[in-house]
């Protein structure tokens, strides 16, 4: 079932629900510049066997309002959209699953509104905390000195997005996914091509917004509140992650009180078919444990 939610004045968000209406709600929160359709269909269907699964388009993606030029916003405003989706659908509490920027938004909701969270699963993201990372040998590393984004990713991100037609845009996105997916699993270009064609069909055009990259990042740190967390939290560790490489997941698990860490073999900063089953199993085991 598809539905639009009024998240703020002049801002409407596209949402989709799947699974039994009376099942525990699970909200999927995608990364920067990514639509809700970026959550792969098999993963959504598998989660929907046990949950009322909701996915949505961020502002300036998919079928939601594109209005950053007229009404600039902060990344923190995207976290308020998470609650707006729950409010608009009449959901008091939900399991949150956030990927990349979505994992940061989930952290902000987890810290500011734990009463809205049944559990949280954080994937491919970084801690909104200044707490140092403690290595296995007991030594520490300042949060700001953890490994940065891989050079090949930064090089791609530095290139201007030029308009050369839909086919060229799809090819550009596949090149992007090839780097994000890492080098541990075989890369299936056809699968990612099909994904991007679904995204374009859903959106209605192949333009790419840069709004999230330009949105203000002030007010995102949640060091003390994450350290006092009481919501069951799962951190997914991806060994081939090029955006927030290890030990970012380990650091995140240390920053969020009570968090558990589960590694998905071969995973990078993408959701190809090879990770669907282990990732689904990890999420469902976590939500089931959170339900008691």
């Amino acid at each position: 079932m598809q539905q639009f939610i009024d998240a703020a004045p002049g801002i409407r968000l596209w949402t989709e629900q799947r699974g039994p209406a009376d099942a525990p709600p699970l909200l999927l929160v995608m990364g920067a510049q990514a639509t809700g359709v970026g959550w792969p269909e098999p993963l959504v269907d598998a989660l929907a066997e046990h949950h009322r699964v909701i996915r949505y388009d961020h502002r300036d993606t998919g079928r939601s309002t594109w209005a950053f030029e007229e009404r600039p916003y902060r990344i923190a405003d995207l976290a308020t959209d998470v609650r707006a989706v729950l409010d608009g659908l009449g959901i008091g509490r939900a399991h949150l699953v956030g990927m990349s920027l979505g994992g940061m938004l989930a952290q902000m909701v987890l810290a500011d509104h734990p009463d809205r969270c049944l559990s949280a699963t954080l994937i491919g993201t970084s801690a909104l905390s200044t707490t140092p990372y403690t290595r296995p040998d007991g030594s520490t590393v300042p949060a700001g000195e953890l490994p940065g984004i891989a050079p090949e990713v930064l090089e791609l991100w530095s290139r201007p997005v030029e308009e050369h037609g839909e086919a060229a845009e799809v090819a550009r996105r596949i090149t992007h996914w090839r780097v994000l997916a890492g080098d541990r699993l075989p890369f299936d270009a056809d699968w990612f091509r099909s994904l991007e064609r679904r995204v374009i069909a859903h959106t209605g055009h192949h333009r790419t917004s840069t709004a999230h990259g330009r949105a203000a990042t002030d007010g995102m740190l949640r060091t003390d509140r994450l350290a006092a967390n009481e919501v069951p939290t799962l951190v997914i560790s991806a060994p081939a992650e090029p955006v927030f490489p290890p030990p970012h997941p380990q650091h995140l698990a240390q920053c969020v009180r009570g968090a558990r860490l589960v590694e998905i073999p071969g995973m990078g900063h993408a959701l190809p078919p090879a990770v669907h089953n282990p990732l689904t199993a990890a999420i469902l085991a976590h939500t089931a444990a959170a339900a008691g």
Side-chain angles (χ1 to χ4, degrees):
M1 179 174 69
Q2 300 181 32
Q3 182 175 338
F4 282 91
I5 299 299
D6 292 319
I11 301 295
R12 303 189 78 203
L13 304 179
W14 173 88
T15 72
E16 179 201 70
Q17 299 179 69
R18 195 175 304 185
D22 59 350
L26 185 151
L27 179 62
L28 298 171
V29 188
M30 241 308 161
Q33 312 303 160
T35 77
V37 177
W39 292 101
E41 298 295 317
L43 178 64
V44 175
D45 285 338
L47 294 173
E49 292 181 10
H50 301 269
H51 290 282
R52 173 188 176 188
V53 178
I54 303 102
R55 58 181 177 175
Y56 72 101
D57 291 342
H58 294 296
R59 306 181 191 196
D60 291 279
T61 74
R63 297 180 184 175
S64 292
T65 302
W66 291 48
F68 184 81
E69 306 304 332
E70 296 79 26
R71 289 186 292 277
Y73 49 81
R74 303 181 304 152
I75 293 296
D77 293 326
L78 297 179
T80 68
D81 288 349
V82 175
R83 290 188 293 116
V85 169
L86 296 179
D87 291 343
L89 298 177
I91 297 171
R93 302 178 72 198
H95 298 282
L96 301 184
V97 179
M99 172 85 180
S100 193
L101 174 65
M104 296 180 187
L105 304 182
Q107 288 179 65
M108 284 190 268
V109 177
L110 186 68
D112 298 345
H113 302 280
D115 57 308
R116 307 302 300 271
C117 306
L118 293 170
S119 76
T121 299
L122 310 175
I123 307 168
T125 194
S126 182
L128 300 182
S129 173
T130 58
T131 300
Y133 168 60
T134 302
R135 297 189 182 102
D137 65 4
S139 61
T140 60
V141 180
E145 295 180 14
L146 291 175
I149 300 170
E152 56 269 27
V153 175
L154 290 175
E155 194 279 326
L156 276 178
W157 288 356
S158 70
R159 299 179 188 176
V161 178
E162 300 176 340
E163 170 55 50
H164 296 294
E166 182 174 323
E169 174 59 18
V170 170
R172 184 192 70 82
R173 295 184 190 185
I174 291 171
T175 298
H176 188 210
W177 281 122
R178 189 182 298 276
V179 174
L180 290 182
D183 57 3
R184 304 283 183 93
L185 298 172
F187 183 77
D188 186 344
D190 288 338
W191 186 86
F192 282 99
R193 184 176 294 107
S194 295
L195 171 67
E196 288 303 334
R197 285 176 174 162
R198 285 198 303 275
V199 167
I200 289 170
H202 167 75
T203 304
H205 57 78
H206 62 272
R207 299 192 306 276
T208 297
S209 171
T210 60
H212 297 170
R214 292 181 287 141
T217 59
D218 58 293
M220 291 179 63
L221 284 175
R222 297 291 189 277
T223 303
D224 293 341
R225 292 181 185 179
L226 292 176
N229 172 64
E230 294 186 356
V231 175
T233 301
L234 173 67
V235 176
I236 297 297
S237 175
E241 169 69 60
V243 178
F244 299 112
H248 277 278
Q250 290 75 16
H251 176 236
L252 178 55
Q254 291 176 1
C255 292
V256 181
R257 181 174 176 268
R260 295 189 307 111
L261 190 71
V262 171
E263 181 173 304
I264 304 299
M267 186 173 176
H269 199 77
L271 299 172
V275 308
H276 293 175
N277 287 345
L279 182 58
T280 298
I283 293 171
L284 292 178
H286 177 59
T287 58

